[in-house]
Amino acid sequence: MSFDPRLTGLPVMDERTAEERILAGLDEEQRTVATTLSGPLCVLAGAGTGKTRAITHRIAYGVHTGVYNPNRLLAVTFTARAAAEMRTRLRDLGVGTVQARTFHAAALRQLQYFWPHAVGGQLPGLLEHKATIIGEAARRLRLPADRASIRDLAAEIEWAKVSMLTPETYLLKAVDRGEPGGLDKVAVGRLFQGYEDVKADRNLIDFEDVLLITVGILQEDPRVAATVRDQYRHFVVDEYQDVSPLQQRMLDLWLGGRDELCVVGDASQTIYSFTGATPRHLLDFPKRFPAANVVKLVRDYRSTPQVVGLANSLLGNRRSGGLSADALWSAPLELVAQRPGGPAPEFLECSDDEAEAAAVAARIKILIEHGTPASEIAVLFRTNGQSEAYEQALTGAGVGYQLRGGERFFARKEVRDAMLQLRAASRAAEDEPLGQLVRDVLKNLGYQAEAPNTGGAVRERWESLSALVALADELVVSRSTPEHVFTLVDFVAELQDRASAQHAPTVQGVTLASLHSAKGLEWDAVFLVGLSEGLMPISFADTPETVDEERRLLYVGITRAREFLNFSWSTARTPGGRANRRPSRFLDGLRPSSVGGAPTGPRQPAAKKSRKVAGPSVCRVCGKILNTGAERKVGRCPDCPPGYDEAIFEQLRQWRLKESAAAEVPAFVVFTDATLMAIAEAAPQDLDALASLPGVGPAKLERYGEAVLEIVAND
């Protein structure tokens, strides 16, 4: 009998070399990235194609083969969370000393080091938020500025500074920038200067100043530039499509004419143009470095073919007419799904915002009841103001949620208390499994194995503590080696590192987030809500370029989903309001009822649905064109008299009420009013006739068909 150490619980020794282990599991294109270690390299990586895996394995392979000195390579990205994730992966690959930082963190570290020598004295204080200083500058200039205006003005000043504009040059470059805060360009320029004056009076610098001053020192002091270039010989830049002119300038100064640079990005995910980001640096990389290797990652390992097909179709429907030369980025990468098939994306039209939120909450509850963890579900919207309706609807449905962009995980009181107690326990930790130790410590703070039945603060507290327990279980598996078992001391150190980088663990609860803040994240199920004209694209997107960016924003939202994808919109803002909203133009050709039909690719289930939502396009009474889904369902304008038997309609409503109560779902989930009207008007006599009506799909036909026909026949 052969001996298998896996059966004993002992560590299994991997006899492969470190280099072989690093390359194992990479696809052909990822392996090309990982083994191309010298010279300029441009990686065009679509959503879900494993770009972070490819570049971290490239760094690890370069270190293990001796090509890279781990202390002389700098990896930069755009968010603290992404940098922390990269550091975690590099640590797991055995190259934890490689620096992975944001542009701002890297620049701040250099500035803190070189300031005493290059400038002298103490580095000014770092301004965390601009609002207070902008407000004071506005008061000095007697300019009106409420909270919303100050937020817009802060964004405008940030754009100006990363575009390397001064208050004087701002007027020349901001011709097409609108009127931020309701102020004309001259007033904004004055406020910009006033903001800089107040900062100087208080000896403060902001985050953009960190980059600007570092760039200035590198440009003007050859000794500082030489020191930095000697320290860092190789650079890796993630999310390169989001680089601003100021960040590109700093990168150029770091390089100093060398070409040991690897950049990774996707022009189709450029969604921060309003902050100064531009994909031109990514797309022009081969022109700047003619000897550059260009590798395309298009194998999507994240999403089902149904989701991938829809994402490809969204960009495929893009029209270039009217776009400027800068907006005409190259043909988008066409993703190739690697996962098995999944459910067809759903399209849901609701009567108003409240009904839409309730319908989404009902579907989320069903997903959770069928085994999808709440933490693997997200509701994504265009503006933060849309979140309130979903917070209320999820609370009403008894579903926990977390609002991305709210209180930071490590700032929560229960998390701070937990870290203190874990630190104290680590000083006298017994020889006990880490998972059990953490559970015992957190039990004193209210942790229990089962989630509490209540919501609110009690549930949120439990979710925070549960996330720490889950992280401990995860790390004891991923970080333990034959030589060292991951301990409570290690766990406390890991938590401290994560707190510094704001790298929060996964919290149980549905995520509510704006589309912008969802960048870089993924979930099993994604609900894209509020997809009506005026919200997607947003109303102030009034040029071909800004509308094009809104399309890319929706693309980012779609590609966050692994399996379940739901699109929804409402025809009116409030219950009983005028139904004058239309679905987003971006859904044309994607949703089954829209012009152009379903997208190409493996979406047959969705294509079959097209017959159920295709109603008449003109009013049967007056002949007027019908605009909304509700109008098309009943086949007439809301102003024209109904042609249905009101007694049948009322009986159908009463039946629907009983069905919804029994199933514990909102009434419209059974059938909408518009569908009931269509049934009452058509008075179908058999299942085939009922199936031909809009709003009656195969599932509802099977579940409710006989009952509906009985009501119609007995009247």
Side-chain angles (χ1 to χ4, degrees):
M1 180 181 295
S2 62
F3 174 72
D4 188 346
R6 289 172 292 185
L7 301 179
T8 69
L10 297 174
V12 179
M13 301 303 294
D14 190 337
E15 296 182 355
R16 295 175 299 177
T17 65
E19 294 88 340
E20 289 172 337
R21 289 196 300 271
I22 289 168
L23 297 181
L26 300 181
D27 66 30
E28 182 181 349
E29 294 79 19
Q30 292 170 344
R31 184 179 287 252
T32 299
V33 172
T35 55
T36 304
L37 301 178
S38 300
L41 173 64
C42 179
V43 183
L44 301 177
T49 58
K51 68 179 179 63
T52 306
R53 177 180 176 84
I55 58 176
T56 52
H57 282 241
R58 176 182 186 268
I59 293 170
Y61 186 74
V63 171
H64 282 288
T65 55
V67 177
Y68 300 153
N69 180 330
N71 298 315
R72 294 196 168 188
L73 185 148
L74 178 61
V76 288
T77 187
F78 284 81
T79 67
R81 185 186 184 283
E85 173 67 22
M86 193 178 293
R87 287 195 295 272
T88 298
R89 296 200 190 193
L90 291 171
R91 190 185 302 120
D92 291 342
L93 289 167
V95 289
T97 59
V98 172
Q99 290 189 41
R101 301 179 180 276
T102 65
F103 269 102
H104 283 93
L108 180 59
R109 180 168 178 161
Q110 292 176 17
L111 187 59
Q112 290 169 333
Y113 182 81
F114 291 114
W115 181 276
H117 311 289
V119 180
Q122 187 175 1
L123 182 69
L126 185 61
L127 179 64
E128 294 283 346
H129 304 288
K130 294 182 173 65
T132 302
I133 304 300
I134 291 176
E136 182 172 336
R139 286 191 295 273
R140 287 185 181 185
L141 296 169
R142 294 186 173 85
L143 293 173
D146 56 22
R147 181 178 299 180
S149 298
I150 288 175
R151 183 181 63 245
D152 292 344
L153 290 165
E156 187 71 1
I157 289 173
E158 289 171 6
W159 170 82
K161 297 182 78 166
V162 301
S163 300
M164 296 187 289
L165 302 177
T166 65
E168 293 77 21
T169 58
Y170 168 79
L171 292 176
L172 300 175
K173 298 292 185 179
V175 176
D176 299 324
R177 293 286 295 178
E179 295 188 347
L183 301 179
D184 61 36
K185 296 297 184 299
V186 174
V188 174
R190 290 172 58 214
L191 185 68
F192 185 1
Q193 183 60 62
Y195 166 77
E196 296 297 321
D197 293 341
V198 176
K199 281 201 294 107
D201 292 345
R202 297 192 179 181
N203 194 33
L204 295 170
I205 58 174
D206 59 26
F207 285 104
E208 291 72 43
D209 291 329
V210 170
L211 299 179
L212 285 164
I213 296 170
T214 304
V215 164
I217 292 174
L218 290 170
Q219 287 180 158
E220 297 172 10
D221 194 323
R223 294 173 303 170
V224 171
T227 301
V228 172
R229 292 164 191 163
D230 184 61
Q231 173 65 47
Y232 298 117
R233 301 298 180 86
H234 297 86
F235 295 88
V236 176
V237 184
D238 192 15
E239 302 288 1
Y240 194 54
Q241 77 279 351
D242 291 332
V243 164
S244 70
L246 177 56
Q247 290 164 333
Q248 180 63 48
R249 180 57 183 151
M250 187 166 68
L251 179 61
D252 290 341
L253 290 166
W254 285 343
L255 285 165
R258 297 169 297 175
D259 64 359
E260 292 298 335
L261 173 63
C262 169
V263 299
V264 189
D266 179 10
S268 298
Q269 297 186 67
T270 303
I271 59 173
Y272 293 110
S273 294
F274 60 92
T275 67
T278 170
R280 295 313 321 171
H281 304 301
L282 173 67
L283 298 175
D284 290 344
F285 192 86
K287 297 179 183 176
R288 183 179 179 189
F289 298 100
N293 287 297
V294 178
V295 181
K296 294 183 179 181
L297 302 183
V298 296
R299 304 189 203 206
D300 188 309
Y301 297 97
R302 175 188 300 161
S303 306
T304 64
Q306 286 78 5
V307 174
V308 170
L310 208 64
N312 286 337
S313 294
L314 176 68
L315 294 187
N317 291 343
R318 178 179 179 270
R319 298 291 182 266
S320 61
L323 292 177
S324 68
D326 286 341
L328 287 174
W329 33 274
S330 63
L333 296 171
E334 184 166 353
L335 302 177
V336 180
Q338 304 297 300
R339 289 189 55 182
E346 294 185 353
F347 297 83
L348 175 66
E349 182 174 277
C350 298
S351 58
D352 54 71
D353 289 352
E354 184 178 322
E356 182 183 0
V360 167
R363 280 161 168 74
I364 287 174
K365 190 169 185 178
I366 292 171
L367 280 176
I368 294 173
E369 289 172 348
H370 284 76
T372 302
S375 61
E376 288 297 345
I377 302 173
V379 178
L380 306 182
F381 32 75
R382 177 60 179 84
T383 67
N384 288 321
Q386 295 170 262
S387 72
E388 184 178 0
Y390 295 90
E391 294 176 51
Q392 294 177 355
L394 289 171
T395 299
V399 176
Y401 66 87
Q402 56 174 327
L403 187 61
R404 184 164 177 80
E407 183 183 26
R408 291 183 173 182
F409 179 83
F410 288 102
R412 299 175 185 175
K413 183 179 185 302
E414 64 270 18
V415 175
R416 289 186 279 111
D417 290 344
M419 291 179 66
L420 287 173
Q421 294 207 18
L422 288 168
R423 187 179 296 114
S426 69
R427 300 190 187 105
E430 299 178 0
D431 187 15
E432 188 177 346
L434 173 64
Q436 189 57 50
L437 273 173
V438 172
R439 285 170 170 81
D440 291 343
V441 172
L442 299 188
K443 190 178 295 182
N444 298 326
L445 296 174
Y447 172 76
Q448 57 189 21
E450 297 297 326
N453 294 324
T454 57
V458 173
R459 175 69 182 229
E460 290 177 5
R461 181 182 183 86
W462 178 86
E463 287 173 347
S464 297
L465 299 177
S466 178
L468 293 174
V469 171
L471 180 62
D473 291 342
E474 173 191 331
L475 293 176
V476 78
V477 174
S478 64
R479 296 288 177 78
S480 293
T481 66
E483 296 80 22
H484 176 73
V485 176
F486 196 76
T487 66
L488 184 57
V489 174
D490 297 325
F491 184 57
V492 170
E494 175 72 17
L495 289 179
Q496 194 59 50
D497 288 344
R498 285 174 173 250
S500 300
Q502 292 301 325
H503 184 199
T506 300
V507 176
Q508 290 301 317
V510 174
T511 299
L512 301 180
S514 70
L515 285 162
H516 281 101
S517 66
K519 180 80 158 54
L521 303 175
E522 58 186 78
W523 296 270
D524 285 346
V526 169
F527 290 79
L528 299 171
V529 301
L531 299 180
S532 59
E533 284 289 316
L535 283 173
M536 177 54 66
I538 199 73
S539 57
F540 53 76
D542 54 3
T543 66
E545 291 84 1
T546 53
V547 170
D548 202 48
E549 180 145 337
E550 292 287 298
R551 181 185 293 274
R552 299 197 296 271
L553 185 58
L554 182 58
Y555 174 81
V556 167
I558 291 173
T559 54
R560 299 311 94 195
R562 298 191 191 103
E563 186 171 4
F564 301 99
L565 183 60
N566 186 289
F567 300 81
S568 63
W569 61 94
S570 61
T571 56
R573 184 172 182 274
T574 57
R578 184 171 179 80
N580 56 4
R581 282 181 173 175
R582 296 186 180 184
S584 168
R585 70 190 77 172
F586 299 148
L587 300 181
D588 290 348
L590 301 184
R591 57 192 177 100
S593 62
S594 61
V595 176
T600 58
R603 295 195 64 247
Q604 288 83 359
K608 292 178 182 177
K609 292 182 179 180
S610 61
R611 65 184 180 87
K612 77 167 188 175
V613 287
S617 58
V618 296
C619 174
R620 69 164 66 98
V621 179
C622 68
K624 179 181 175 182
I625 296 294
L626 301 177
N627 295 316
T628 70
E631 292 173 0
R632 289 191 291 270
K633 278 186 178 181
V634 298
R636 57 177 174 77
C637 306
D639 298 330
C640 289
Y644 59 82
D645 187 317
E646 293 189 7
I648 295 180
F649 178 69
E650 185 57 33
Q651 289 181 44
L652 288 170
R653 286 184 69 251
Q654 293 301 321
W655 164 82
R656 181 184 65 177
L657 185 62
K658 293 177 182 178
E659 288 290 333
S660 63
E664 297 183 342
V665 297
F668 58 81
V669 174
V670 179
F671 281 126
T672 65
D673 281 352
T675 299
L676 293 186
M677 290 179 189
I679 293 171
E681 291 200 37
Q685 299 302 308
D686 54 43
L687 290 176
D688 287 341
L690 180 59
S692 69
L693 298 178
V696 184
K700 291 187 178 182
L701 186 69
E702 181 179 354
R703 183 178 302 176
Y704 306 125
E706 296 295 344
V708 168
L709 290 176
E710 185 177 352
I711 293 172
V712 174
N714 290 339
D715 184 74

